[in-house]
Amino acid sequence: MSRRPRADARRNHDRLLAEADAVFREQGTGASLEGIARRADVAVGTLYGHFPNRRALVGAVLRERNEALFDAGEALAGKAPEEALRQWVDLVVSHAATYRGLAELLADGIDDEASELHASCTRMADIGEQIVSRAIEAGTVRPDVTAADVFTLMNAGAWTREHASAEQAARLVSYTIDGLLVSDRSPQGAV
Amino acid sequence: MSRRPRADARRNHDRLLAEADAVFREQGTGASLEGIARRADVAVGTLYGHFPNRRALVGAVLRERNEALFDAGEALAGKAPEEALRQWVDLVVSHAATYRGLAELLADGIDDEASELHASCTRMADIGEQIVSRAIEAGTVRPDVTAADVFTLMNAGAWTREHASAEQAARLVSYTIDGLLVSDRSPQGAV
DNA sequence: ACCTGAACACCGTTCAAGT
DNA sequence: ACCTGAACACCGTTCAAGT
């Protein structure tokens, strides 16, 4: 419970966050931490003092963006099930494509409780779970579809954006969601 | 056209390939090249003499495996379109999941003519293209599906295998292929 | 309470010198 | 014709010493 950080500590903290955001945007989450410290005019040890590892720094940089994402996700509760699902997946794909390498951190973070990103991953998966179970109850989505399927799809979509294009990723995601829906060739979603 | 490599050169070449395969299997394609040279009892410079960069080494290690894959792909020409598509995607997903990091090299290799893996990527995409166009003509797959969609799906599936599980990857791939098929909600595939 | 920067262990890549 | 290993430039991470 540190209450009043020293003025220089607070300043270093903020500079590190700002430079980390810029550098991750340019070079991805694998960028040199020494480089970030240099750009923030701070010694490496200071960076480690504030953020014990790379994931902690990535998590800190994403904090506000995460809140906005979760709020947007919960605002989808009113929409029609298929629309809500499509929009939620699109939102998270865009989010996870903010920095190159983030999709990988998120995909690994859901299964690693020690990860600083684990809480956000869980939150994302939970929102997806709600949307999916609602869609299944409505008979829109196949009853065997899981929250894990949706979480995986989001990360795979973001990864595709990094390694192909946003258009290609959108196509993959769209086709996959089509495949999740109840149709003539899939089991019916009676509850 | 070097015809008769010196005996020690050939021996070093083979040892490097064998150790590279083992190390990539354990640690992924991002493993230390110095470590591979060490395990092969060879100086680093020797490794670079035989393989100018990491991709060249990965490509060399995959050479035989690639041939088997392509042969298996062409053998699918006789199968029913949907079966051929599903089996081809499964084959490549398994192949691309041989080493952690390979899916990324393949996804990047298709657009990079300088990559030592570019030829294999093109070959994979071509086989996929044949299978898809046959499936579209048969009215099994939606007419707007492209070879790029299938190539992307294969890489995304392999990446998912690395970062989730083989089961989860198989589910994602299966749902996506369902979405590629002609159904009541998708445009009909009349030619 | 926080910052600094040297220290350690590691890496990719090159290239002069050897055989 | 090929191999060696030192050299260079870089990195993640720690921690004694400072203020």
Side-chain angles (χ1 to χ4, degrees):
Chain A
M1 293 267 135
S2 60
R3 298 291 269 82
R4 268 199 177 247
R6 236 165 60 178
D8 57 342
R10 171 141 187 71
R11 188 161 154 282
N12 287 337
H13 180 94
D14 292 349
R15 296 187 69 148
L16 282 166
L17 279 184
E19 293 304 328
D21 182 54
V23 171
F24 287 154
R25 230 170 262 279
E26 290 164 22
Q27 310 175 26
T29 58
S32 159
L33 299 183
E34 275 193 335
I36 292 173
R38 245 190 328 265
R39 276 182 55 158
D41 266 313
V42 145
V44 227
T46 302
L47 186 151
Y48 280 89
H50 286 275
F51 311 100
N53 58 50
R54 168 169 262 114
R55 284 191 317 248
L57 182 53
V58 172
V61 162
L62 289 176
R63 187 158 292 277
E64 296 159 28
R65 189 181 303 276
N66 268 331
E67 292 313 317
L69 175 71
F70 300 149
D71 289 350
E74 279 168 351
L76 293 172
K79 300 244 180 185
E82 182 178 341
E83 274 315 287
L85 178 59
R86 288 195 191 272
Q87 290 189 22
W88 174 240
V89 173
D90 282 351
L91 278 173
V92 180
V93 167
S94 296
H95 168 82
T98 308
Y99 312 129
R100 240 176 318 131
L102 181 55
E104 183 167 349
L105 291 177
L106 295 178
D108 294 346
I110 188 96
D111 292 320
D112 178 7
E113 295 190 19
S115 168
E116 287 77 4
L117 300 173
H118 184 252
S120 333
C121 293
T122 301
R123 193 96 171 70
M124 280 183 214
D126 284 351
I127 295 177
E129 158 83 73
Q130 286 177 40
I131 292 176
V132 166
S133 60
R134 204 157 54 82
I136 291 176
E137 278 167 36
T140 310
V141 159
R142 298 196 200 179
D144 56 334
V145 173
T146 67
D149 292 331
V150 174
F151 187 72
T152 299
L153 170 59
M154 297 179 321
N155 290 321
W159 183 83
T160 297
R161 235 169 116 134
E162 295 175 10
H163 294 278
S165 69
E167 291 71 34
Q168 185 59 65
R171 288 177 64 86
L172 176 77
V173 166
S174 178
Y175 282 129
T176 309
I177 292 184
D178 290 346
L180 300 181
L181 300 178
V182 169
S183 79
D184 56 346
R185 69 174 62 237
S186 65
Q188 291 303 313
V191 273
Chain B
M1 292 266 135
S2 60
R3 299 290 270 81
R4 267 199 177 249
R6 238 165 58 177
D8 57 341
R10 170 142 187 69
R11 189 161 152 284
N12 287 337
H13 181 95
D14 292 349
R15 295 187 69 149
L16 282 166
L17 279 185
E19 293 304 329
D21 182 54
V23 172
F24 287 154
R25 230 170 263 279
E26 291 164 20
Q27 310 175 27
T29 57
S32 158
L33 299 182
E34 275 192 335
I36 291 173
R38 246 192 323 266
R39 275 182 56 157
D41 265 314
V42 144
V44 227
T46 302
L47 185 152
Y48 279 89
H50 286 274
F51 310 101
N53 57 52
R54 169 170 261 117
R55 284 191 316 248
L57 182 54
V58 173
V61 162
L62 289 176
R63 186 157 293 276
E64 297 157 29
R65 190 181 302 275
N66 269 330
E67 293 312 316
L69 176 71
F70 300 149
D71 289 350
E74 278 166 352
L76 293 173
K79 302 244 178 184
E82 182 178 340
E83 274 315 288
L85 178 59
R86 286 193 191 273
Q87 291 189 22
W88 174 239
V89 173
D90 281 351
L91 279 173
V92 180
V93 167
S94 296
H95 168 83
T98 309
Y99 310 130
R100 239 175 319 132
L102 181 55
E104 182 167 350
L105 290 177
L106 296 177
D108 294 346
I110 188 96
D111 291 321
D112 178 7
E113 295 190 19
S115 169
E116 287 76 4
L117 301 173
H118 183 252
S120 334
C121 293
T122 301
R123 193 98 171 70
M124 279 182 214
D126 284 351
I127 294 177
E129 158 83 73
Q130 286 175 41
I131 292 176
V132 166
S133 59
R134 204 156 55 79
I136 291 176
E137 277 167 36
T140 309
V141 159
R142 297 194 200 181
D144 56 333
V145 172
T146 66
D149 291 332
V150 174
F151 187 73
T152 299
L153 171 59
M154 297 178 323
N155 291 320
W159 182 82
T160 297
R161 235 169 115 134
E162 296 175 11
H163 293 278
S165 70
E167 290 70 35
Q168 184 58 65
R171 288 177 65 86
L172 176 76
V173 166
S174 178
Y175 281 129
T176 308
I177 292 184
D178 290 345
L180 300 181
L181 301 178
V182 169
S183 80
D184 56 347
R185 69 172 64 237
S186 65
Q188 290 305 312
V191 272

